[in-house]
Amino acid sequence: MTKRIISIFMIATIFMSSLVNSVSAMGNGTEGDLTWMNTELSAEERTELLLDAMTMEQKIQQIAISRFNENDTGETVVINKGGTSKYQNGEFAPQGTLPGCEWQDTGRQIRGIEELGIPTLRMTNGGTGVKGGSCGNDPMATGLPSTPAMAATFDRELNYEAGRILGEETRAFAHQVFLGPGMNLIRHPYGGRNYEYFSEDPYLTGILAIEQVKGIQDQGVQAQLKHLAGNEQETERWTMGVQVPSQAMNELYMLPFEMAVKDADPASVMCSFPDVNGTYACDSSELLQDALRDNWGFDGYVMSDRRAIHDTVAAIKAGTNVELDWAPQYYTQEKVQEALDSGLVTVDDIDNLLRPRYIKMIEFGHMDEPYDEFLPEIVDPMVNGASARKMAEEGSVLLKNDDGFLPLDGEPKSIALIGIEWFAGEAKMSPRSIRDNNENVVTPYTVTPKEGLENVIEELGYDTEVTYNDGRDPEAAAELAAESDVVLLMIGDNPHETADRDTLGFPAIDLDKHKDREDWVEQEPLIDAVMDANAENTAVVLKTSGTVLMPWLDEVPAVLEAWFPGMEDGNAVANLLYGKVNPSGKLPMTFGATEREAAFATEVQYPGTRQDTGKPGGPGPYGDGSDQLIAQYTEGLEMGYRWYEGNDVKPLFPFGYGLSYTTFEYDDLKVKKVRGEGKGNKGKKGSLSGIEVSFTITNTGDVAGKEAAQVYLTLPDEAGQPTKRLVNFEKVELDPGESERVTLQINHADSNHPFSYFVPEEPDNLANWADGEWETADGKYRLHVGGSSADTPLEKDVPLNF
């Protein structure tokens, strides 16, 4: 009833305005009632009425981002740049559409049309906290752990909770769209944005992204999956291309997006920068029509990454609904009108760009409910902080623990906490910047490693002193290490957007965000000094985006991968080190042993080699005149654990690996065929639709713990797969001596095609990579159940005929 009263009031107000300026009203097609504001009509009906009322000028304005000043006070902002950035210029006076929204130069708004009742649509950047939206004054937001940490939880409910927090805090920020989650695969460890992505495995990525999308959208906020597709590196990201075999494209890199589209119904998708198999992603009908819309049934809208469109007509025809940039470069009034006048684009094409976005806005209530004020009161930072701590705890992975070195107890009287400030002196947040300056979300509080340790020590009643050394003087750090009972060495890496990692070691860190520290701090000499001084009593805490090389691994008794733990870093890590929480995280990617192996074995694979494609190459959004850099995914399906298993290579730590302070035993695997209607059954009731897998897990140790049990499937030889694939998982909590029977179902109709493989129509024609069919082989399938991809003590062959 309230919405209808608001709608009637809006209609009356706008109608009275139209009487005052009848010429303007007639030009906008809004004389009389705004019939599309009738909430009793369907979203589709309302959208058609709205499109019929809009002028072409209004429609073109609505398919691109607009920068404008939403504040109601302050000075006019003047932007005056030169060179290729001059299109960003303009004067931006305060307009009062969102009081308190300070100027944001990178603006992520689609400006509303007040006389049509279309509100401004605001978008905030995704990742591990709300930051970088339409307002320059970022909100107070929960600093969540990095996305690989979320994947390492192997926990669906925790990932839903992450989505709930992100959606809630986006709504509190008066924004309607959250640009995330990031769903590209961690193909290699150099990826500069791996900390934003889940995993090397498409199933794990897809399942947990589905939960995050549901959590976001259940708060009335639109999620935007990104970046579709082939965005597995940052090196020359604006101009580079990828060549991905059709089978790998569909079975690996597209699969998480397909799963999320089918099972979470996301409102939108962001198309990526790369030139994918010969066509830039945002200009690709193969990607955005054939795969996304036709094959998967996606009914939302697509927005480009910033400056990712390369051709006006191609992007419109492909279905890139919104151009993201400081100001439109390809969806300008002039270029779109020229395309219309020439007949290359039709009015229907423009309507097709607007239609799904308006339908989604109406479905989410965004066309009817004004987002005209910030609502910080709907957020409980302490509740969200407690969730962030639990995520950091359950995502941390215990990689090594010789002779029960961990958990710590009250026996040590002195602990040396050593590491540069980013990793040991403050809470390590996930990066939120295109520069390596450790910029991150604005949090209500943070917990440093020292504070966390002291919290636990006090709570447990121990008499242990913690002394922090910032690692600037390796000799001083070594001296402290030598005289301490226990050393906690916290080290990490510093990836960021627009650049890939240049080492799998531990880089020097520039602490330039602190104005009194202009120099770089080296980590490797610090590590060597500490190892020489007291390696046998050192536990290393890694705060990395993924794989790092550890030549000293045999020298230390314990290693904990904490990723980027977020604002509750200190409490979470201390709880794990002291056993208040038993580690239960599992690696979402393989930790390799060298700088070049698997999908990053050659330069051809990563970062690519230059080819004369006729397209500009080189760094920056417009390149530098070089030939285009092309990364060739020559490994095909042999990426991540599939490469190590398929080539019988033992990694440093396998996918799915993670230790606990207790031990678990797997037993009594049973597989039951499930019959019923399902995909591929041709409507026959009673035909095979999947399998039910059951097994028992027992906690055989002395403390309670959680185990993420993993189910893998090997397809018949006919499928041509390099090795097994993850098809399900379940995390269970068990007291000492307790057993639990785990039962999981794997259905032929599941969106990850667990029993199937992709057969391309033209395997050698990369341009038509989306053309083909999923096929299912009859024959012997093998089930593998265990605690990692390399440790599956339960195995069983099952003949299946679908």
Side-chain angles (χ1 to χ4, degrees):
M1 186 65 181
T2 302
K3 285 185 177 180
R4 293 203 59 197
I5 293 171
I6 292 172
S7 298
I8 293 168
F9 177 76
M10 288 175 64
I11 292 169
T13 302
I14 296 169
F15 180 64
M16 290 301 294
S17 175
S18 71
L19 294 178
V20 174
N21 193 348
S22 59
V23 175
S24 173
M26 291 178 64
N28 291 324
T30 62
E31 66 273 20
D33 291 343
L34 304 184
T35 53
W36 54 89
M37 298 305 292
N38 181 354
T39 58
E40 294 190 357
L41 298 176
S42 70
E44 290 77 12
E45 290 171 324
R46 292 178 62 182
T47 295
E48 295 310 316
L49 290 169
L50 174 56
L51 291 175
D52 288 344
M54 296 176 72
T55 67
M56 182 52 65
E57 183 178 0
Q58 289 170 332
K59 291 178 179 181
I60 296 172
Q61 178 268 317
Q62 284 280 290
I63 60 175
I65 294 294
S66 303
R67 277 187 309 162
F68 65 104
N69 190 346
E70 295 209 62
N71 210 334
D72 58 343
T73 60
E75 301 291 328
T76 295
V77 176
V78 179
I79 306 296
N80 188 16
K81 298 185 177 183
T84 58
S85 298
K86 60 186 178 183
Y87 75 102
Q88 300 175 27
N89 295 346
E91 294 189 8
F92 305 95
Q95 299 186 34
T97 46
L98 179 61
C101 176
E102 296 177 4
W103 167 254
Q104 167 64 282
D105 188 39
T106 56
R108 293 182 172 91
Q109 310 116 308
I110 302 177
R111 185 169 189 159
I113 303 176
E114 186 176 356
E115 62 268 28
L116 294 179
I118 303 174
T120 292
L121 191 70
R122 303 184 192 91
M123 310 179 186
T124 186
N125 211 359
T128 50
V130 176
K131 177 182 175 66
S134 295
C135 307
N137 47 319
D138 288 313
M140 198 76 75
T142 306
L144 297 174
S146 54
T147 308
M150 296 304 308
T153 67
F154 274 70
D155 190 301
R156 293 170 174 84
E157 291 182 2
L158 279 179
N159 278 271
Y160 179 89
E161 173 67 1
R164 183 199 66 78
I165 291 170
L166 294 169
E168 175 186 83
E169 295 182 357
T170 297
R171 175 63 187 94
F173 192 32
H175 285 53
Q176 301 100 324
V177 185
F178 179 83
L179 305 183
M183 296 175 58
N184 298 99
L185 296 187
I186 299 177
R187 175 178 174 248
H188 57 82
Y190 291 94
R193 298 182 78 175
N194 283 354
Y195 59 87
E196 290 187 47
Y197 304 146
F198 290 87
S199 170
E200 69 185 29
D201 181 75
Y203 176 77
L204 181 63
T205 296
I207 286 294
L208 298 183
I210 286 166
E211 294 301 321
Q212 289 200 13
V213 171
K214 288 179 178 178
I216 292 165
Q217 296 197 157
D218 282 352
Q219 310 312 305
V221 168
Q222 302 176 30
Q224 185 168 107
L225 312 182
K226 63 183 189 184
H227 314 82
L228 190 71
N231 205 116
E232 282 76 39
Q233 74 182 55
E234 291 295 288
T235 301
E236 298 191 14
R237 68 175 187 171
W238 286 286
T239 61
M240 62 87 64
V242 295
Q243 293 176 355
V244 191
S246 177
Q247 193 173 7
M249 189 71 171
N250 287 279
E251 292 188 26
L252 298 180
Y253 302 99
M254 295 286 282
L255 188 59
F257 292 95
E258 178 180 358
M259 293 171 65
V261 164
K262 290 181 174 179
D263 295 346
D265 193 21
S268 59
V269 167
M270 178 181 286
C271 53
S272 63
F273 289 118
D275 182 9
V276 180
N277 286 344
T279 307
Y280 285 105
C282 296
D283 301 341
S284 173
S285 292
E286 189 84 4
L287 181 68
L288 304 182
Q289 294 292 352
D290 298 352
L292 178 62
R293 292 181 170 96
D294 295 344
N295 294 349
W296 303 349
F298 176 67
D299 64 356
Y301 62 95
V302 174
M303 185 171 80
S304 75
D305 209 335
R306 193 178 296 272
R307 290 174 292 189
I309 289 178
H310 293 259
D311 182 276
T312 301
V313 173
I316 291 173
K317 290 291 189 180
T320 297
N321 304 78
V322 179
E323 179 182 10
L324 171 63
D325 210 325
W326 279 268
Q329 292 195 84
Y330 292 91
Y331 285 4
T332 64
Q333 293 282 344
E334 296 76 17
K335 288 183 178 180
V336 175
Q337 191 61 55
E338 181 181 337
L340 285 164
D341 293 342
S342 67
L344 295 173
V345 167
T346 67
V347 173
D348 283 346
D349 291 328
I350 305 303
D351 286 352
N352 288 339
L353 297 186
L354 292 168
R355 184 174 289 109
R357 184 168 69 81
Y358 288 153
I359 289 173
K360 289 300 179 185
M361 288 179 68
I362 294 168
E363 289 177 346
F364 277 81
H366 297 156
M367 195 73 82
D368 305 305
E369 181 183 359
Y371 279 42
D372 54 4
E373 62 177 334
F374 302 123
L375 300 173
E377 65 273 10
I378 71 173
V379 176
D380 187 332
M382 301 312 294
V383 169
N384 292 353
S387 290
R389 184 185 68 249
K390 185 175 176 64
M391 294 165 194
E393 291 168 348
E394 299 223 4
S396 294
V397 182
L398 185 61
L399 298 177
K400 183 178 181 181
N401 191 29
D402 287 353
D403 301 321
F405 185 82
L406 296 175
L408 300 174
D409 55 24
E411 185 175 338
K413 299 306 177 187
S414 58
I415 291 179
L417 172 62
I418 298 173
I420 68 171
E421 186 175 352
W422 278 19
F423 308 116
E426 61 188 41
K428 181 67 187 90
M429 305 283 288
S430 217
R432 295 301 303 275
S433 174
I434 60 173
R435 296 169 290 278
D436 58 350
N437 62 357
N438 212 32
E439 181 181 327
N440 32 61
V441 301
V442 180
T443 58
Y445 67 90
T446 60
V447 183
T448 70
K450 190 171 188 288
E451 289 170 342
L453 289 166
E454 291 174 343
N455 288 342
V456 176
I457 289 168
E458 180 180 2
E459 181 181 346
L460 297 176
Y462 296 152
D463 181 22
T464 306
E465 183 179 0
V466 179
T467 304
Y468 172 57
N469 181 285
D470 67 8
R472 289 180 160 273
D473 181 349
E475 290 186 13
E479 185 177 336
L480 175 63
E483 64 189 26
S484 299
D485 296 331
V486 169
V487 179
L488 299 177
L489 178 62
M490 297 188 177
I491 49 180
D493 61 357
N494 66 333
H496 60 93
E497 190 176 346
T498 74
D500 288 320
R501 294 168 65 187
D502 56 13
T503 177
L504 297 187
F506 296 87
I509 302 295
D510 182 7
L511 297 175
D512 65 355
K513 75 168 190 170
H514 301 285
K515 301 304 181 184
D516 57 336
R517 298 178 176 177
E518 297 296 330
D519 54 327
W520 290 69
V521 181
E522 298 281 349
Q523 290 191 91
E524 295 287 2
L526 170 65
I527 296 169
D528 292 341
V530 171
M531 295 300 169
D532 289 343
N534 195 1
E536 64 273 16
N537 291 305
T538 295
V540 177
V541 178
L542 301 175
K543 296 183 179 178
T544 71
S545 58
T547 301
V548 281
L549 301 180
M550 297 174 272
W552 36 261
L553 183 62
D554 292 340
E555 301 176 39
V556 299
V559 179
L560 178 73
E561 172 61 86
W563 316 101
F564 303 146
M567 72 186 200
E568 277 274 351
D569 178 335
N571 284 333
V573 172
N575 287 345
L576 291 161
L577 293 174
Y578 271 93
K580 273 195 66 186
V581 175
N582 192 347
S584 63
K586 301 277 192 171
L587 286 180
M589 78 283 285
T590 308
F591 271 35
T594 68
E595 292 182 343
R596 285 288 185 181
E597 59 191 46
F600 52 103
T602 67
E603 184 182 356
V604 167
Q605 292 168 292
Y606 168 79
T609 53
R610 300 206 180 275
Q611 297 182 19
D612 183 5
T613 62
K615 298 175 183 178
Y622 307 104
D624 62 1
S626 304
D627 286 340
Q628 192 176 30
L629 185 70
I630 303 292
Q632 299 177 58
Y633 292 30
T634 55
E635 70 280 356
L637 295 176
E638 292 188 350
M639 188 271 283
Y641 65 87
R642 290 167 169 81
W643 183 86
Y644 292 91
E645 298 256 334
N647 292 279
D648 197 24
V649 175
K650 185 177 180 180
L652 195 61
F653 298 109
F655 172 86
Y657 171 88
L659 299 176
S660 169
Y661 295 148
T662 189
T663 53
F664 298 95
E665 184 177 280
Y666 289 78
D667 192 24
D668 193 22
L669 173 63
K670 286 185 167 52
V671 181
K672 183 175 77 173
K673 296 179 182 179
V674 178
R675 301 190 177 277
E677 293 186 356
K679 179 181 176 182
N681 294 328
K682 299 180 180 178
K684 294 180 181 178
K685 289 186 177 180
S687 57
L688 186 64
S689 62
I691 57 175
E692 183 180 272
V693 181
S694 60
F695 51 92
T696 300
I697 305 179
T698 302
N699 182 343
T700 54
D702 299 327
V703 295
K706 295 182 179 181
E707 170 71 348
Q710 300 151 49
V711 179
Y712 296 84
L713 186 66
T714 297
L715 273 56
D717 292 343
E718 176 188 327
Q721 301 289 300
T723 182
K724 57 181 176 276
R725 58 172 67 164
L726 182 69
V727 292
N728 215 327
F729 59 87
E730 184 73 20
K731 196 168 189 176
V732 297
E733 183 172 10
L734 299 170
D735 289 328
E738 183 182 5
S739 297
E740 181 170 325
R741 189 73 182 164
V742 176
T743 301
L744 300 171
Q745 194 152 315
I746 304 163
N747 302 306
H748 189 256
D750 289 344
S751 59
N752 61 307
H753 309 280
F755 300 98
S756 303
Y757 58 100
F758 190 81
V759 180
E761 280 187 10
E762 302 175 87
D764 298 326
N765 184 353
L766 290 183
N768 290 342
W769 57 264
D771 295 340
E773 297 290 339
W774 288 90
E775 296 189 3
T776 305
D778 295 331
K780 183 181 70 176
Y781 289 75
R782 173 166 285 191
L783 266 294
H784 315 257
V785 178
S788 80
S789 61
D791 180 21
T792 52
L794 304 183
E795 298 191 338
K796 190 177 186 67
D797 290 338
V798 185
L800 298 174
N801 183 345
F802 287 97

